[in-house]
Amino acid sequence: CLTKQPVRLLFTSSVSSVTLWNPATSGSVPEANVSDASLAVATGYGASKFVAENVLAQARASGVECTALRVGQ
């Protein structure tokens, strides 16, 4: 018997999404969404991870169950 269950999305991101974060001046990278695009502009890879994390943040605000996991942090 199949039951309806909400779809849950787990996105594997990367610390590249915050490549230019400076822990000396800003402390540890927060576990929450980071909305400053200037932190990810060093590479196209990091920029794409940043965009995906922010799309997920908007989806989460709309009620979608989703998580971005930054590998390497």
Side-chain angles (χ1 to χ4, degrees):
C1 178
L2 296 177
T3 60
K4 289 187 177 184
Q5 296 202 6
V7 174
R8 293 180 186 99
L9 175 63
L10 176 60
F11 174 70
T12 305
S13 191
S14 166
V15 293
S16 292
S17 66
V18 287
T19 299
L20 299 178
W21 184 274
N22 185 343
T25 58
S26 302
S28 297
V29 175
E31 295 295 324
N33 186 59
V34 176
S35 60
D36 183 358
S38 69
L39 296 172
V41 297
T43 66
Y45 176 78
S48 70
K49 293 293 189 176
F50 172 85
V51 169
E53 284 187 21
N54 280 274
V55 167
L56 288 179
Q58 290 179 356
R60 191 177 315 110
S62 298
V64 177
E65 291 187 42
C66 54
T67 302
L69 183 71
R70 285 191 202 114
V71 177
Q73 184 165 328

